[in-house]
Amino acid sequence: MALVPLGDYLLDRLRELGIGHIFGVPGDYNLGFLDRILDHPDLEWVGNCNELNAAYAADGYARRRGAAALATTFGVGELSAVNGIAGSFAEQVPVLAITGMPASTAAASGAPLHHTLADGNYDHFGRMFQEVTAARETLTARAPTEQIDRLLRTMLSEKRPVHLNFPADLVALAVPAPEAPLLEAGEHSPDRPGLGAFLEHAARLLADSGSATVLAGHQIDRYGLAGAVRVLLESAPIRACVLSSARGTVAEDAPYFTGVYVGAFSDKATRAAVEDTDLLVLAGAQITDTVTGGFTHDFPVRRTIGLFDGYATVGHARYEGVTLGNALAGLTALFSGATDLRPLDGTATPDRRPEPAKGPLTQQSLWARVEAFLQPGEVLVAEQGTSFFAAQEITLPPDGSLIGQPLWGSIGYTLPATLGAQLAVPENRCVLVIGDGSLQLTAQALGTMARYGAAPVVIVVNNDGYTVERAIHGPTASYNDIGAWDYTALPTAFGAAHRSLAVRAQNGEELDAALAEARSNPDKLVLIEAVLDQDDSPELLTAICRRFAEQNNYGG
């Protein structure tokens, strides 16, 4: 029986999952494990400036690769990463958070070591992670490989982050090398008897329907089911819409695509396709405030079929234990026999912005150029707020996708997430649009991008503060102001002078020239500072922010 160090066992399992990079920050309790990463022939360590950036980067990586890992040290390091892990939990992104912790003997004795609370309890921080992870383990010498495998299987099956405490003295522990794949070929979660009952109920609802629309959500992406949704849509005359959290799961040049649904703020044809259809299929579509225009959606439960991770619904009836993939396959068979279905009239009619004049840049002229710039297969990354909502008003290119964080909405997330997404699939260039306020939270990621050869295009919207917050409340309040930075100087300040380009654009002509330069330098990090007026907001953002202000009821 071949023996390997326990650290190598974990790394081999991660490589088996398609993970090629591990993000993090060194600390004395994880240094032995980091040695194993450096010695591994198929893994690259990506050192970040702080643990929060590392967690964001791992999230972006997992969205493109299917899973990711980060490694931090005990206490001070892991707690810095908790916000990023919470975002992965909220948005169902599988990330392994590895904490290098003090030696098991020290933990057992309760010694008051550094990075502890000096009370002998070494489980404080693990319990903090418990609220934002699907499972957690502290490795022991008794059966550590079983602990690792169990944790990774949970991460993959639930599509959520998990937490692993790795004592420093166990990294070199000799354990048997893996004898079988983590996931056997064809392994899947079996359906309970609810699948048959669900399909029978769905068939009755379908028989009474003359039209149908599929509304896709982010779970389709997380479970890799975009292909299954395409088969469903091609099985019968059905309309398709997506929530803003699911851009790219349905081809936006397909004849059945009818737009991005944001409740009452949707395009007329999109709203009709979702709200006027006889039968609406919610395909992995979680209903939250940000993606439904502040809960302004309108579709009666009685004519809705819901497909989610682990259960399905028909009207008010819920069927437990039904996997999303099998529910989609079963519905496809039902729809294939629905010869009386007819598609609703109308297609999405996005506002095609006119070419801008030579005057100052506006949100409208900026996003017209972003849409024209994107090439097939490229990834648009849109920071929460102004950029994310503006992105819903443009069409993605063929095979394009969008990364955002509409539910968790942690500003600054997208800059490190772009690093992770770019390293995950380097052949598909990322184009990030991020506000100046958000960039200031995680700006160090620019240096990490250049250090590891990531070459996205980063468009910094310099509109002098938190425009999304101004649109919600306090348009002239000082708390929505930020410091004035020299954004084009940042790549040089972070050590990227020879691997980057940085330009400033104040009008359409200058932005055209900057984007042309970005296209002709695919191997360089390109930062474009786009200067806009602080009061210029996309229409969708303005409308939704008004709704959020009403919900928050600041006046009491």
Side-chain angles (χ1 to χ4, degrees):
M1 177 185 299
L3 297 178
V4 297
L6 183 59
D8 286 6
Y9 182 96
L10 173 58
L11 296 177
D12 288 342
R13 282 304 201 201
L14 296 180
R15 193 68 192 98
E16 186 182 332
L17 301 181
I19 294 172
H21 301 77
I22 297 181
F23 303 88
V25 177
D28 63 329
Y29 294 132
N30 70 10
L31 296 180
F33 179 64
L34 300 194
D35 285 338
R36 308 312 307 172
I37 298 174
L38 296 184
D39 290 342
H40 199 285
D42 299 316
L43 285 168
E44 182 175 3
W45 167 251
V46 181
N48 290 252
C49 297
N50 58 62
E51 293 85 359
L52 178 60
N53 280 13
Y56 287 157
D59 183 293
Y61 190 92
R63 291 178 190 237
R64 301 292 289 160
R65 278 282 185 100
L70 77 150
T72 64
T73 198
F74 190 71
V76 294
E78 61 185 329
L79 293 186
S80 178
V82 166
N83 179 43
I85 293 300
S88 298
F89 185 85
E91 305 224 346
Q92 291 186 267
V93 181
V95 175
L96 171 64
I98 306 164
T99 294
M101 68 176 294
S104 52
T105 51
S109 70
L113 299 183
H114 60 285
H115 301 336
T116 75
L117 301 183
D119 62 356
N121 188 334
Y122 280 66
D123 200 35
H124 287 301
F125 314 128
R127 291 201 306 274
M128 293 179 186
F129 270 97
Q130 184 172 345
E131 296 296 321
V132 292
T133 56
R136 67 185 184 104
E137 296 275 357
T138 296
L139 292 183
T140 68
R142 190 164 50 253
T145 60
E146 295 176 14
Q147 291 180 283
I148 288 172
D149 289 357
R150 181 168 60 246
L151 201 62
L152 293 178
R153 290 191 182 106
T154 298
M155 178 185 75
L156 295 175
S157 64
E158 298 195 19
K159 305 300 180 186
R160 294 190 190 273
V162 293
H163 181 230
L164 179 66
N165 273 326
F166 204 148
D169 60 326
L170 297 186
V171 171
L173 179 70
V175 296
E179 296 181 354
L182 182 67
L183 300 177
E184 297 290 352
E187 182 176 337
H188 65 282
S189 298
D191 281 308
R192 298 172 187 169
L195 177 62
F198 158 69
L199 291 175
E200 289 178 6
H201 195 169
R204 295 196 299 272
L205 186 56
L206 177 58
D208 292 334
S209 303
S211 60
T213 297
V214 171
L215 178 59
H218 74 274
Q219 290 178 358
I220 296 302
D221 172 71
R222 303 300 189 268
Y223 284 88
L225 293 170
V229 169
R230 184 179 66 250
V231 173
L232 169 62
L233 293 170
E234 294 174 351
S235 69
I238 312 171
R239 289 290 180 194
C241 300
V242 297
L243 295 176
S244 59
S245 56
R247 299 289 301 277
T249 57
V250 176
E252 299 189 2
D253 58 351
Y256 43 71
F257 181 72
T258 320
V260 182
Y261 181 74
V262 282
F265 308 108
S266 307
D267 173 272
K268 182 178 179 181
T270 305
R271 190 173 180 182
V274 171
E275 298 179 1
D276 297 341
T277 186
D278 293 339
L279 173 60
L280 179 65
V281 178
L282 298 176
Q286 185 179 21
I287 303 303
T288 65
D289 63 341
T290 310
V291 300
T292 59
F295 298 122
T296 61
H297 59 290
D298 182 19
F299 33 86
V301 174
R302 58 180 173 76
R303 58 178 177 82
T304 299
I305 293 175
L307 314 178
F308 303 100
D309 55 337
Y311 71 96
T313 62
V314 181
H316 291 282
R318 176 167 169 142
Y319 300 90
E320 297 290 348
V322 178
T323 62
L324 186 51
N326 284 350
L328 276 171
L331 272 191
T332 300
L334 293 181
F335 274 94
S336 296
T339 57
D340 293 334
L341 278 180
R342 67 185 189 282
L344 289 169
D345 294 333
T347 57
T349 55
D351 177 22
R352 296 304 177 190
R353 299 162 176 78
E355 282 299 308
K358 295 183 179 180
L361 272 178
T362 63
Q363 290 285 346
Q364 180 171 305
S365 62
L366 167 67
W367 285 93
R369 284 172 162 79
V370 170
E371 181 174 20
F373 178 79
L374 291 169
Q375 297 294 304
E378 291 188 333
V379 182
L380 175 62
V381 188
E383 177 67 29
Q384 190 59 29
T386 305
S387 299
F388 185 81
F389 288 107
Q392 308 316 316
E393 300 180 24
I394 70 171
T395 300
L396 295 179
D399 298 320
S401 58
L402 182 143
I403 292 177
Q405 201 186 47
L407 176 56
W408 189 241
S410 185
I411 65 171
Y413 157 79
T414 55
L415 187 63
T418 298
L419 163 67
Q422 193 67 81
L423 293 179
V425 188
E427 62 271 21
N428 295 136
R429 199 174 196 184
C430 293
V431 179
L432 166 64
V433 186
I434 182 171
D436 48 359
S438 294
L439 179 92
Q440 290 192 9
L441 270 77
T442 53
Q444 310 97 318
L446 290 169
T448 312
M449 288 175 177
R451 179 183 175 192
Y452 290 96
V457 177
V458 177
I459 301 174
V460 182
V461 179
N462 180 357
N463 50 12
D464 196 23
Y466 299 119
T467 294
V468 61
E469 309 299 353
R470 296 188 200 278
I472 297 174
H473 185 73
T476 61
S478 61
Y479 50 69
N480 285 326
D481 297 336
I482 60 172
W485 285 15
D486 183 351
Y487 294 101
T488 57
L490 292 180
T492 297
F494 288 122
H498 302 297
R499 289 161 287 186
S500 65
L501 295 172
V503 294
R504 194 170 194 259
Q506 300 184 81
N507 56 52
E509 288 181 327
E510 291 176 352
L511 183 54
D512 285 338
L515 290 171
E517 197 168 5
R519 186 60 68 196
S520 62
N521 286 275
D523 298 325
K524 286 190 174 182
L525 163 66
V526 179
L527 183 146
I528 301 172
E529 178 188 358
V531 181
L532 277 75
D533 187 271
Q534 70 173 225
D535 296 323
D536 183 13
S537 298
E539 285 186 26
L540 179 59
L541 175 72
T542 300
I544 290 180
C545 285
R546 190 178 303 118
R547 171 68 174 173
F548 288 166
E550 293 171 356
Q551 288 179 328
N552 292 337
N553 190 22
Y554 297 110

